[in-house]
Amino acid sequence: MSSQKTPSTDLEFPSIIFGTSSLGNLYTELDDKIKLAIVKECINQTSGKVYFDSAGKYGAGLALESLGASLASLNTNHSKIVISNKLGWLRTKLTSAEPTFEPGIWKGLKHDAIQHLGYEQIMDCFRQGNTLLKGFVADLVSVHDPDEYLEIGRNNDEINGLYYEVLDSYKALSELKQRGKVKAVGVGAKNWRVIERIHKDVKLDWVMIANSMTIKSHPIDLLDFMRELESEGVKIVNSAVFHSGFLTGGDYYDYKFVSREDQQYSDLFEWRDLFFSCCLKYGVKPAHACVQFALKAPGVVSIALNTTNPERVKENVKMVHEPVPVKLWDELMEKGLISSYFFKNQILKKA
Protein backbone atom coordinates (compact mmCIF):
# COMPACT_ATOMS: atom_id res chain seq x y z
CA MET A 1 0.00 0.00 0.00
CA SER A 2 1.07 3.56 -0.63
CA SER A 3 2.58 5.47 2.25
CA GLN A 4 2.03 8.83 0.54
CA LYS A 5 0.26 11.17 2.92
CA THR A 6 -1.14 13.92 0.74
CA PRO A 7 -4.87 13.33 0.12
CA SER A 8 -6.26 14.11 -3.31
CA THR A 9 -9.91 15.03 -3.11
CA ASP A 10 -11.71 18.20 -4.10
CA LEU A 11 -14.69 17.44 -1.88
CA GLU A 12 -15.57 20.16 0.60
CA PHE A 13 -17.14 18.56 3.63
CA PRO A 14 -20.06 20.50 5.18
CA SER A 15 -20.23 21.20 8.91
CA ILE A 16 -23.00 18.62 9.33
CA ILE A 17 -23.36 15.20 7.75
CA PHE A 18 -26.68 13.45 8.22
CA GLY A 19 -26.33 9.99 9.71
CA THR A 20 -28.74 7.28 8.61
CA SER A 21 -28.57 4.56 11.25
CA SER A 22 -32.14 5.43 12.24
CA LEU A 23 -33.21 4.57 8.69
CA GLY A 24 -31.87 1.09 9.46
CA ASN A 25 -34.10 0.82 12.55
CA LEU A 26 -31.44 1.39 15.20
CA TYR A 27 -33.09 0.84 18.60
CA THR A 28 -36.57 1.45 17.15
CA GLU A 29 -38.49 0.48 14.02
CA LEU A 30 -39.52 3.53 12.03
CA ASP A 31 -42.38 3.78 9.57
CA ASP A 32 -41.34 4.44 5.97
CA LYS A 33 -43.27 7.73 6.02
CA ILE A 34 -41.16 8.96 8.94
CA LYS A 35 -37.97 7.94 7.15
CA LEU A 36 -39.10 9.83 4.07
CA ALA A 37 -39.87 12.90 6.21
CA ILE A 38 -36.41 12.75 7.80
CA VAL A 39 -34.64 12.63 4.44
CA LYS A 40 -36.86 15.41 3.09
CA GLU A 41 -36.11 17.65 6.06
CA CYS A 42 -32.37 17.06 5.72
CA ILE A 43 -32.61 18.31 2.16
CA ASN A 44 -34.82 21.26 3.13
CA GLN A 45 -32.41 22.37 5.86
CA THR A 46 -29.37 22.37 3.55
CA SER A 47 -28.55 25.14 1.10
CA GLY A 48 -25.76 23.37 -0.77
CA LYS A 49 -25.02 19.71 -1.33
CA VAL A 50 -26.56 17.34 1.21
CA TYR A 51 -24.22 14.76 2.71
CA PHE A 52 -25.60 11.48 4.03
CA ASP A 53 -23.52 8.89 5.86
CA SER A 54 -24.67 5.28 5.66
CA ALA A 55 -23.37 1.71 5.83
CA GLY A 56 -24.26 -1.82 4.88
CA LYS A 57 -24.20 -2.62 8.58
CA TYR A 58 -27.03 -0.22 9.36
CA GLY A 59 -30.05 -2.48 9.49
CA ALA A 60 -28.30 -5.03 7.25
CA GLY A 61 -28.53 -2.61 4.34
CA LEU A 62 -31.96 -1.25 5.28
CA ALA A 63 -30.59 2.26 5.85
CA LEU A 64 -29.12 2.35 2.34
CA GLU A 65 -32.34 0.94 0.90
CA SER A 66 -34.53 3.45 2.78
CA LEU A 67 -32.26 6.36 1.85
CA GLY A 68 -32.30 5.45 -1.83
CA ALA A 69 -36.07 4.92 -1.84
CA SER A 70 -36.66 8.24 -0.10
CA LEU A 71 -34.39 10.19 -2.44
CA ALA A 72 -36.08 8.61 -5.45
CA SER A 73 -39.55 9.33 -4.05
CA LEU A 74 -38.58 12.97 -3.60
CA ASN A 75 -37.29 13.18 -7.18
CA THR A 76 -34.00 14.45 -5.78
CA ASN A 77 -31.42 15.85 -8.15
CA HIS A 78 -28.46 13.48 -8.03
CA SER A 79 -25.99 16.36 -8.21
CA LYS A 80 -27.30 17.72 -4.89
CA ILE A 81 -26.56 14.50 -2.96
CA VAL A 82 -23.27 13.15 -1.65
CA ILE A 83 -23.42 9.72 -0.01
CA SER A 84 -20.80 8.12 2.19
CA ASN A 85 -21.05 4.34 2.35
CA LYS A 86 -18.92 2.64 4.97
CA LEU A 87 -18.16 -0.76 3.44
CA GLY A 88 -17.39 -4.09 5.03
CA TRP A 89 -20.77 -5.55 5.90
CA LEU A 90 -22.77 -7.56 3.36
CA ARG A 91 -26.52 -8.20 3.50
CA THR A 92 -27.37 -11.90 3.83
CA LYS A 93 -30.46 -14.01 4.33
CA LEU A 94 -32.06 -13.91 7.78
CA THR A 95 -32.29 -17.48 9.08
CA SER A 96 -32.94 -16.80 12.76
CA ALA A 97 -35.45 -14.90 14.86
CA GLU A 98 -33.24 -11.83 14.86
CA PRO A 99 -30.01 -10.81 13.13
CA THR A 100 -26.81 -12.44 14.35
CA PHE A 101 -24.86 -9.16 14.35
CA GLU A 102 -25.41 -6.80 17.28
CA PRO A 103 -28.46 -8.67 18.61
CA GLY A 104 -31.06 -6.53 20.33
CA ILE A 105 -29.86 -3.32 18.66
CA TRP A 106 -31.60 -3.39 15.28
CA LYS A 107 -35.38 -3.74 15.15
CA GLY A 108 -37.75 -5.28 12.62
CA LEU A 109 -35.12 -6.45 10.15
CA LYS A 110 -35.79 -8.88 7.33
CA HIS A 111 -32.13 -9.57 6.56
CA ASP A 112 -28.93 -10.43 8.36
CA ALA A 113 -25.41 -9.15 7.67
CA ILE A 114 -21.87 -10.49 7.87
CA GLN A 115 -18.56 -8.66 8.09
CA HIS A 116 -16.98 -8.96 4.66
CA LEU A 117 -13.42 -7.66 4.23
CA GLY A 118 -10.84 -8.29 1.54
CA TYR A 119 -10.42 -7.13 -2.05
CA GLU A 120 -13.28 -9.04 -3.69
CA GLN A 121 -15.40 -8.77 -0.55
CA ILE A 122 -15.25 -4.99 -0.51
CA MET A 123 -16.10 -4.89 -4.19
CA ASP A 124 -19.16 -7.04 -3.34
CA CYS A 125 -20.17 -4.55 -0.65
CA PHE A 126 -19.71 -1.59 -3.00
CA ARG A 127 -21.87 -3.15 -5.70
CA GLN A 128 -24.56 -4.24 -3.24
CA GLY A 129 -24.61 -0.82 -1.60
CA ASN A 130 -25.17 1.01 -4.88
CA THR A 131 -27.90 -1.48 -5.80
CA LEU A 132 -29.69 -0.82 -2.51
CA LEU A 133 -29.40 2.93 -3.12
CA LYS A 134 -31.68 2.50 -6.12
CA GLY A 135 -29.87 4.61 -8.69
CA PHE A 136 -27.89 6.80 -6.32
CA VAL A 137 -24.22 6.02 -5.75
CA ALA A 138 -21.67 6.43 -2.97
CA ASP A 139 -19.07 9.13 -3.64
CA LEU A 140 -17.24 8.53 -0.36
CA VAL A 141 -16.23 5.02 0.67
CA SER A 142 -14.42 3.61 3.65
CA VAL A 143 -13.77 0.40 5.54
CA HIS A 144 -16.30 0.12 8.35
CA ASP A 145 -15.37 -1.28 11.76
CA PRO A 146 -11.90 -2.63 10.95
CA ASP A 147 -11.36 -2.50 14.71
CA GLU A 148 -14.12 -5.05 15.25
CA TYR A 149 -12.68 -7.20 12.49
CA LEU A 150 -9.25 -7.30 14.13
CA GLU A 151 -10.85 -8.23 17.46
CA ILE A 152 -11.74 -11.61 15.95
CA GLY A 153 -8.06 -12.54 16.09
CA ARG A 154 -7.08 -14.69 19.07
CA ASN A 155 -3.35 -13.98 18.88
CA ASN A 156 -0.90 -11.65 17.11
CA ASP A 157 -0.49 -13.92 14.10
CA GLU A 158 -4.25 -14.06 13.53
CA ILE A 159 -4.60 -10.30 14.07
CA ASN A 160 -1.83 -9.62 11.56
CA GLY A 161 -3.49 -11.93 9.06
CA LEU A 162 -6.77 -10.09 9.46
CA TYR A 163 -4.96 -6.79 9.07
CA TYR A 164 -3.63 -7.89 5.69
CA GLU A 165 -7.28 -8.45 4.68
CA VAL A 166 -8.03 -4.89 5.78
CA LEU A 167 -5.18 -3.67 3.57
CA ASP A 168 -6.56 -5.75 0.70
CA SER A 169 -9.86 -3.95 1.22
CA TYR A 170 -8.04 -0.66 0.71
CA LYS A 171 -6.53 -1.95 -2.51
CA ALA A 172 -10.10 -2.26 -3.75
CA LEU A 173 -11.07 1.22 -2.55
CA SER A 174 -7.96 2.77 -4.09
CA GLU A 175 -8.77 1.08 -7.38
CA LEU A 176 -12.33 2.41 -7.26
CA LYS A 177 -10.97 5.91 -6.77
CA GLN A 178 -8.40 5.55 -9.56
CA ARG A 179 -11.17 4.40 -11.92
CA GLY A 180 -13.29 7.43 -11.00
CA LYS A 181 -15.99 5.32 -9.39
CA VAL A 182 -15.63 7.17 -6.06
CA LYS A 183 -14.16 10.52 -5.05
CA ALA A 184 -12.60 9.86 -1.66
CA VAL A 185 -11.41 6.98 0.52
CA GLY A 186 -11.56 6.88 4.30
CA VAL A 187 -12.09 4.79 7.40
CA GLY A 188 -14.75 4.62 10.09
CA ALA A 189 -14.01 3.05 13.47
CA LYS A 190 -14.72 3.32 17.18
CA ASN A 191 -11.17 2.42 18.24
CA TRP A 192 -9.08 5.33 17.02
CA ARG A 193 -5.88 3.35 17.54
CA VAL A 194 -6.88 1.16 14.60
CA ILE A 195 -7.42 4.29 12.49
CA GLU A 196 -3.93 5.36 13.52
CA ARG A 197 -2.48 2.02 12.40
CA ILE A 198 -4.26 2.12 9.04
CA HIS A 199 -3.18 5.71 8.52
CA LYS A 200 0.46 4.58 8.57
CA ASP A 201 -0.13 2.21 5.65
CA VAL A 202 -2.90 3.80 3.58
CA LYS A 203 -3.39 7.16 1.91
CA LEU A 204 -6.64 8.36 3.48
CA ASP A 205 -8.68 11.34 2.35
CA TRP A 206 -10.91 11.37 5.42
CA VAL A 207 -11.56 9.54 8.67
CA MET A 208 -14.65 9.12 10.81
CA ILE A 209 -13.96 8.79 14.51
CA ALA A 210 -16.84 7.36 16.57
CA ASN A 211 -17.40 7.31 20.34
CA SER A 212 -13.88 8.63 20.91
CA MET A 213 -13.58 12.41 20.78
CA THR A 214 -16.51 13.54 22.91
CA ILE A 215 -17.29 15.79 25.83
CA LYS A 216 -17.17 12.66 27.99
CA SER A 217 -14.01 11.13 26.51
CA HIS A 218 -11.17 13.16 24.99
CA PRO A 219 -7.77 11.50 25.55
CA ILE A 220 -4.67 13.57 24.93
CA ASP A 221 -3.12 10.98 22.61
CA LEU A 222 -6.17 11.13 20.35
CA LEU A 223 -6.02 14.92 20.16
CA ASP A 224 -2.35 14.70 19.17
CA PHE A 225 -3.20 12.20 16.42
CA MET A 226 -5.98 14.45 15.16
CA ARG A 227 -3.54 17.34 14.94
CA GLU A 228 -1.27 15.11 12.86
CA LEU A 229 -4.14 14.31 10.49
CA GLU A 230 -5.03 17.99 10.27
CA SER A 231 -1.46 18.90 9.33
CA GLU A 232 -1.62 16.37 6.48
CA GLY A 233 -4.95 17.65 5.17
CA VAL A 234 -6.91 14.53 6.14
CA LYS A 235 -10.49 15.57 6.84
CA ILE A 236 -12.02 14.38 10.12
CA VAL A 237 -15.69 13.63 10.70
CA ASN A 238 -16.65 13.29 14.36
CA SER A 239 -19.54 10.95 15.06
CA ALA A 240 -21.40 9.17 17.86
CA VAL A 241 -20.68 12.15 20.10
CA PHE A 242 -23.62 11.35 22.38
CA HIS A 243 -22.29 7.86 23.18
CA SER A 244 -25.36 6.17 21.69
CA GLY A 245 -27.66 8.79 23.20
CA PHE A 246 -26.59 8.31 26.80
CA LEU A 247 -25.30 11.87 27.12
CA THR A 248 -28.71 13.20 26.14
CA GLY A 249 -30.70 10.95 28.49
CA GLY A 250 -30.84 7.60 26.70
CA ASP A 251 -30.47 4.08 28.09
CA TYR A 252 -27.59 2.95 25.85
CA TYR A 253 -23.91 3.81 26.22
CA ASP A 254 -21.72 2.89 23.26
CA TYR A 255 -24.44 0.57 21.97
CA LYS A 256 -24.83 -1.27 25.29
CA PHE A 257 -27.86 -1.02 27.57
CA VAL A 258 -27.02 0.56 30.91
CA SER A 259 -29.11 0.84 34.06
CA ARG A 260 -28.87 3.23 36.99
CA GLU A 261 -29.61 0.28 39.29
CA ASP A 262 -26.48 -1.54 38.11
CA GLN A 263 -23.53 -0.48 40.27
CA GLN A 264 -21.00 -0.96 37.50
CA TYR A 265 -22.51 2.04 35.73
CA SER A 266 -22.80 4.32 38.75
CA ASP A 267 -19.91 6.57 37.66
CA LEU A 268 -21.51 7.06 34.26
CA PHE A 269 -24.79 8.21 35.76
CA GLU A 270 -23.04 10.45 38.28
CA TRP A 271 -21.15 12.13 35.45
CA ARG A 272 -24.34 12.61 33.45
CA ASP A 273 -26.31 14.00 36.39
CA LEU A 274 -23.65 16.62 37.06
CA PHE A 275 -23.33 17.41 33.36
CA PHE A 276 -27.08 17.93 33.09
CA SER A 277 -27.09 20.27 36.09
CA CYS A 278 -24.32 22.41 34.57
CA CYS A 279 -26.14 22.62 31.24
CA LEU A 280 -29.37 23.57 33.00
CA LYS A 281 -27.60 26.37 34.88
CA TYR A 282 -26.64 28.05 31.60
CA GLY A 283 -29.79 27.18 29.67
CA VAL A 284 -27.96 24.86 27.29
CA LYS A 285 -29.36 21.57 26.05
CA PRO A 286 -26.94 18.69 26.75
CA ALA A 287 -26.97 17.72 23.07
CA HIS A 288 -25.91 21.25 22.10
CA ALA A 289 -22.96 21.14 24.50
CA CYS A 290 -21.92 17.73 23.13
CA VAL A 291 -22.03 18.95 19.54
CA GLN A 292 -20.12 22.16 20.15
CA PHE A 293 -17.40 20.41 22.14
CA ALA A 294 -17.02 17.72 19.47
CA LEU A 295 -16.56 20.37 16.77
CA LYS A 296 -13.70 22.01 18.66
CA ALA A 297 -11.25 19.18 18.20
CA PRO A 298 -8.38 19.76 15.75
CA GLY A 299 -9.03 18.74 12.19
CA VAL A 300 -12.76 18.21 12.63
CA VAL A 301 -14.55 19.56 9.56
CA SER A 302 -17.90 17.84 10.06
CA ILE A 303 -20.05 16.23 12.68
CA ALA A 304 -22.39 13.35 11.84
CA LEU A 305 -25.79 13.63 13.51
CA ASN A 306 -28.66 11.19 13.35
CA THR A 307 -32.30 11.43 14.42
CA THR A 308 -35.52 9.43 14.49
CA ASN A 309 -37.61 12.62 14.46
CA PRO A 310 -37.96 14.77 11.32
CA GLU A 311 -38.66 17.83 13.48
CA ARG A 312 -35.25 17.48 15.13
CA VAL A 313 -33.28 17.89 11.91
CA LYS A 314 -33.60 21.67 12.03
CA GLU A 315 -32.49 21.67 15.66
CA ASN A 316 -29.45 19.54 14.79
CA VAL A 317 -28.39 22.02 12.12
CA LYS A 318 -28.88 24.88 14.57
CA MET A 319 -26.74 23.16 17.24
CA VAL A 320 -23.86 22.91 14.79
CA HIS A 321 -23.84 26.60 13.98
CA GLU A 322 -24.67 28.23 17.33
CA PRO A 323 -21.98 28.40 20.07
CA VAL A 324 -22.72 27.83 23.75
CA PRO A 325 -21.78 30.28 26.55
CA VAL A 326 -18.05 30.24 27.33
CA LYS A 327 -18.94 30.09 31.03
CA LEU A 328 -20.33 26.59 30.51
CA TRP A 329 -16.87 25.30 29.57
CA ASP A 330 -15.45 26.98 32.71
CA GLU A 331 -18.12 25.31 34.84
CA LEU A 332 -17.51 21.89 33.32
CA MET A 333 -13.77 22.24 33.92
CA GLU A 334 -14.34 23.39 37.49
CA LYS A 335 -16.53 20.35 38.16
CA GLY A 336 -13.91 18.04 36.64
CA LEU A 337 -16.22 16.92 33.83
CA ILE A 338 -13.86 18.01 31.06
CA SER A 339 -10.11 18.45 31.12
CA SER A 340 -8.72 21.97 31.40
CA TYR A 341 -5.61 20.81 29.53
CA PHE A 342 -7.15 21.32 26.10
CA PHE A 343 -8.39 24.86 26.62
CA LYS A 344 -5.31 26.02 28.53
CA ASN A 345 -3.02 24.75 25.79
CA GLN A 346 -5.30 26.09 23.08
CA ILE A 347 -5.79 22.67 21.56
CA LEU A 348 -9.48 23.40 21.92
CA LYS A 349 -10.77 26.97 21.86
CA LYS A 350 -13.61 28.06 24.11
CA ALA A 351 -15.14 30.56 21.71
Side-chain angles (χ1 to χ4, degrees):
M1 297 301 294
S2 170
S3 60
Q4 181 183 352
K5 295 300 183 183
T6 304
S8 55
T9 175
D10 57 359
L11 285 176
E12 290 297 327
F13 283 58
S15 54
I16 182 170
I17 293 176
F18 298 105
T20 61
S21 57
S22 63
L23 303 185
N25 293 350
L26 179 66
Y27 303 130
T28 185
E29 185 174 358
L30 293 183
D31 185 86
D32 287 343
K33 292 181 179 179
I34 295 177
K35 295 179 182 182
L36 176 63
I38 291 171
V39 173
K40 182 178 181 180
E41 191 63 13
C42 291
I43 295 172
N44 289 343
Q45 293 299 324
T46 307
S47 57
K49 291 188 176 183
V50 190
Y51 279 57
F52 290 98
D53 174 68
S54 198
K57 185 181 185 180
Y58 295 164
L62 178 61
L64 290 163
E65 199 168 36
S66 298
L67 176 61
S70 297
L71 292 172
S73 178
L74 295 167
N75 295 314
T76 311
N77 187 326
H78 285 234
S79 65
K80 185 178 174 63
I81 304 300
V82 177
I83 297 174
S84 160
N85 187 8
K86 301 192 293 290
L87 305 172
W89 290 82
L90 191 75
R91 171 183 279 190
T92 60
K93 185 177 181 180
L94 182 64
T95 59
S96 52
E98 67 172 343
T100 56
F101 74 104
E102 295 182 334
I105 299 297
W106 306 94
K107 307 299 182 181
L109 300 190
K110 298 179 180 178
H111 299 89
D112 207 340
I114 57 170
Q115 200 160 26
H116 204 59
L117 269 67
Y119 179 90
E120 292 295 342
Q121 290 85 345
I122 283 293
M123 290 296 193
D124 289 342
C125 294
F126 179 69
R127 287 188 289 266
Q128 185 182 78
N130 284 345
T131 298
L132 292 172
L133 284 169
K134 302 183 188 302
F136 288 81
V137 298
D139 290 306
L140 312 180
V141 290
S142 60
V143 174
H144 195 195
D145 296 333
D147 44 348
E148 291 184 15
Y149 195 65
L150 297 181
E151 287 173 3
I152 299 171
R154 294 167 294 183
N155 53 55
N156 287 337
D157 287 342
E158 289 189 3
I159 292 171
N160 289 334
L162 293 168
Y163 185 66
Y164 286 128
E165 293 178 10
V166 172
L167 295 183
D168 276 343
S169 300
Y170 276 103
K171 289 180 182 178
L173 297 189
S174 296
E175 183 177 308
L176 288 172
K177 183 179 176 183
Q178 290 168 5
R179 289 161 49 193
K181 298 293 185 180
V182 302
K183 295 180 179 179
V185 171
V187 60
K190 303 177 188 71
N191 184 344
W192 68 269
R193 290 292 188 184
V194 173
I195 296 177
E196 185 180 40
R197 180 178 182 180
I198 291 171
H199 166 254
K200 294 176 181 177
D201 294 317
V202 178
K203 184 176 73 173
L204 298 171
D205 299 309
W206 63 284
V207 305
M208 176 175 280
I209 298 174
N211 289 332
S212 299
M213 173 51 218
T214 72
I215 201 167
K216 175 70 173 63
S217 173
H218 36 272
I220 294 173
D221 289 351
L222 172 56
L223 269 292
D224 290 341
F225 174 55
M226 293 172 80
R227 284 193 289 184
E228 179 183 345
L229 293 175
E230 182 181 32
S231 70
E232 296 173 3
V234 180
K235 300 178 189 299
I236 301 174
V237 179
N238 205 350
S239 70
V241 300
F242 307 131
H243 288 285
S244 303
F246 180 81
L247 300 189
T248 58
D251 297 325
Y252 287 84
Y253 183 84
D254 291 353
Y255 309 102
K256 295 180 181 179
F257 178 78
V258 292
S259 170
R260 190 180 290 272
E261 284 68 43
D262 192 329
Q263 279 298 113
Q264 68 175 313
Y265 301 120
S266 59
D267 289 346
L268 271 181
F269 283 94
E270 287 176 13
W271 189 98
R272 188 174 74 177
D273 290 344
L274 191 53
F275 172 57
F276 279 10
S277 68
C278 292
C279 289
L280 181 63
K281 180 177 178 179
Y282 293 98
V284 175
K285 291 184 177 180
H288 193 182
C290 292
V291 167
Q292 282 296 307
F293 188 91
L295 283 167
K296 292 181 178 298
V300 173
V301 295
S302 305
I303 187 166
L305 295 177
N306 183 48
T307 183
T308 59
N309 184 350
E311 297 178 1
R312 199 164 292 165
V313 174
K314 183 177 182 179
E315 182 179 348
N316 284 349
V317 174
K318 184 178 179 181
M319 288 192 301
V320 167
H321 296 292
E322 289 191 1
V324 300
V326 171
K327 289 184 178 180
L328 174 60
W329 305 131
D330 293 329
E331 182 89 5
L332 293 173
M333 283 188 285
E334 181 183 327
K335 301 293 186 184
L337 297 178
I338 62 176
S339 172
S340 62
Y341 171 85
F342 307 111
F343 288 131
K344 288 181 178 178
N345 290 275
Q346 295 188 326
I347 297 174
L348 305 178
K349 296 181 179 179
K350 292 184 187 178

